Amino acid sequence: MARSFPSLSDFLSHGFDTVIDVRSPAEFAEDHVPGAINLPVLDNEERARVGTIYKQQSPFLARKLGAALVFRNAAAHIEGPLAHHEGGWRPLVYCWRGGQRSGSFAWMLQQIGWRAEAVEGGYRSYRRLVTGALYEMPLPHRLIQLGGYTGTAKTALLPRLAARGVQMVDLEGLARHRGSLLGDMPGGQPSQKAFETGLAQALSRLDPARPVLVEAESSKIGQILLPPSLWEAMKQAPWIEVSAPLAARAAYLDAAYDDILSDGERLRDMLSPLRYHRGHALVDRWEELIASGARLELCRSLAADHYDPAYEKSMAAMTPDVLRRFETPTLDDSGLDRLADRIAEALQTIEI
């Protein structure tokens, strides 16, 4: 009998010892249930081969080949990564739609004596729960946006605030992107579905009765779109705003964007499209600063001549309700710790 989950919170608090995703590595890489391990009963090539036979030759032949491959691969998993489990082990198994792949593997585990169950509807049932939470229903959380000019170390403040008991979601961390023109990070971004899984999991851990801090973002972080329920909640959320001197912001940007600033050719390519927005003279000057290694001056100009005008334009269009503004003279570790203390204390008294 397959296990069904009426809500996303039920799925995420499933109570099983191990969650096993038996889909192909490519399917697993796009997205998977949090904490799942991938033990494919058909690898990428085998899945494609079985699918081709199903469409071009015969469903019967495809099922026969698929069964042989599934049980052969399942046997290797049982002899390998699963060999150490004792008799009381309770695994939860899923495939794409809760069909033959997960059903066959769960049956084999049950015959051994393990208390295995398959997910009714498979990954698709999990994905419907995530979509419902992030696309169809309003968020139950009360958000506060953390705003401020680029380079005010908002991302670095979030873990400090979390350590002080503030509920927060690091959207740029989940999206693996710094949320700006130069925001690309090593390793690239997750898929849209994987981002939404991470977001849903992060939100599930939070108390809806207490405010949740998120960094102010546009509706898109790199190539990741913020799902509608989150975006609607952010548009209605009040703000707190941080500010710092331009020199401190330039120093912070120089450190935070070291990977990009260290690659002059890549940096020039990333800045080149701004010729159409900021003019050739300014971009020519940036290229001169790159060539001379004047990173601090480059960061200062990028902030003052590109990021700040863009921020001011967006603020004028949004006119957010700014509850409190916080100024800091420095953005080094001690300065950020003091700033986090002040913000955490203020958030205890702010009512939204």
Side-chain angles (χ1 to χ4, degrees):
M1 183 176 178
R3 173 64 66 98
S4 63
F5 297 92
S7 71
L8 183 60
S9 61
D10 290 327
F11 208 131
L12 294 175
S13 58
H14 50 76
F16 284 79
D17 297 327
T18 311
V19 181
I20 302 175
D21 185 326
V22 299
R23 298 177 302 158
S24 68
E27 293 171 290
F28 183 83
E30 182 185 23
D31 185 37
H32 52 267
V33 173
I37 62 172
N38 188 209
L39 297 179
V41 292
L42 295 175
D43 64 25
N44 298 334
E45 293 75 18
E46 290 166 344
R47 179 170 175 261
R49 181 183 168 199
V50 170
T52 299
I53 292 173
Y54 186 94
K55 292 178 180 178
Q56 297 182 1
Q57 292 181 251
S58 159
F60 172 76
L61 290 176
R63 284 193 293 269
K64 185 167 66 171
L65 172 62
L69 294 171
V70 164
F71 284 107
R72 188 179 305 151
N73 291 329
H77 297 323
I78 292 167
E79 292 177 328
L82 303 182
H84 65 286
H85 289 294
E86 301 294 337
W89 179 52
R90 293 182 65 235
L92 180 66
V93 184
Y94 71 91
C95 60
W96 170 245
R97 57 173 173 261
Q100 293 178 329
R101 285 186 288 177
S102 60
S104 299
F105 192 57
W107 174 85
M108 179 179 281
L109 299 181
Q110 290 165 358
Q111 302 314 299
I112 295 169
W114 288 321
R115 296 182 291 162
E117 294 185 51
V119 175
E120 183 177 337
Y123 168 81
R124 292 200 306 180
S125 66
Y126 164 74
R127 178 62 190 168
R128 278 194 294 270
L129 294 173
V130 173
T131 301
L134 299 180
Y135 283 77
E136 299 166 9
M137 296 180 289
L139 288 189
H141 307 84
R142 296 174 296 136
L143 303 185
I144 297 176
Q145 294 211 59
L146 175 63
Y149 286 115
T150 295
T152 47
K154 301 181 293 294
T155 301
L157 276 172
L158 290 177
R160 286 175 163 85
L161 290 166
R164 289 159 174 79
V166 176
Q167 292 198 128
M168 69 87 182
V169 176
D170 182 1
L171 296 176
E172 292 186 2
L174 292 172
R176 295 205 295 267
H177 194 277
R178 285 168 288 214
S180 66
L181 173 72
L182 305 180
D184 289 350
M185 296 178 68
Q189 293 190 266
S191 70
Q192 182 71 32
K193 289 180 180 179
F195 168 79
E196 291 169 6
T197 276
L199 174 62
Q201 184 182 29
L203 291 170
S204 74
R205 300 190 185 110
L206 303 177
D207 180 1
R210 297 171 52 217
V212 177
L213 193 67
V214 297
E215 187 173 345
E217 304 285 353
S218 68
S219 61
K220 193 175 183 182
I221 305 177
Q223 298 303 309
I224 296 292
L225 294 171
L226 299 185
S229 297
L230 173 66
W231 182 237
E232 286 303 314
M234 289 176 67
K235 288 193 293 185
Q236 299 170 24
W239 283 43
I240 60 173
E241 193 173 52
V242 295
S243 62
L246 182 57
R249 291 164 52 208
Y252 175 79
L253 289 170
D254 179 50
Y257 287 76
D258 177 69
D259 57 317
I260 293 175
L261 294 170
S262 298
D263 188 342
E265 183 176 353
R266 180 186 175 206
L267 181 57
R268 281 190 292 272
D269 289 341
M270 297 176 78
L271 295 177
S272 181
L274 291 182
R275 290 182 178 277
Y276 303 99
H277 303 283
R278 302 299 180 198
H280 290 287
L282 180 57
V283 177
D284 287 343
R285 178 170 172 251
W286 289 341
E287 291 190 348
E288 292 171 0
L289 294 173
I290 293 170
S292 63
R295 289 177 31 161
L296 274 175
E297 184 58 29
L298 174 65
C299 290
R300 185 184 184 96
S301 178
L302 284 170
D305 301 320
H306 171 61
Y307 287 119
D308 290 4
Y311 182 77
E312 290 159 4
K313 183 178 179 180
S314 67
M315 288 291 282
M318 291 186 298
T319 60
D321 176 20
V322 181
L323 301 174
R324 198 78 60 88
R325 289 183 168 87
F326 300 87
E327 296 183 5
T328 177
T330 65
L331 293 168
D332 56 12
D333 286 342
S334 59
L336 289 175
D337 286 338
R338 289 190 295 270
L339 180 59
D341 288 337
R342 292 165 54 205
I343 294 175
E345 183 179 1
L347 288 175
Q348 294 178 358
T349 62
I350 289 177
E351 293 185 6
I352 60 171

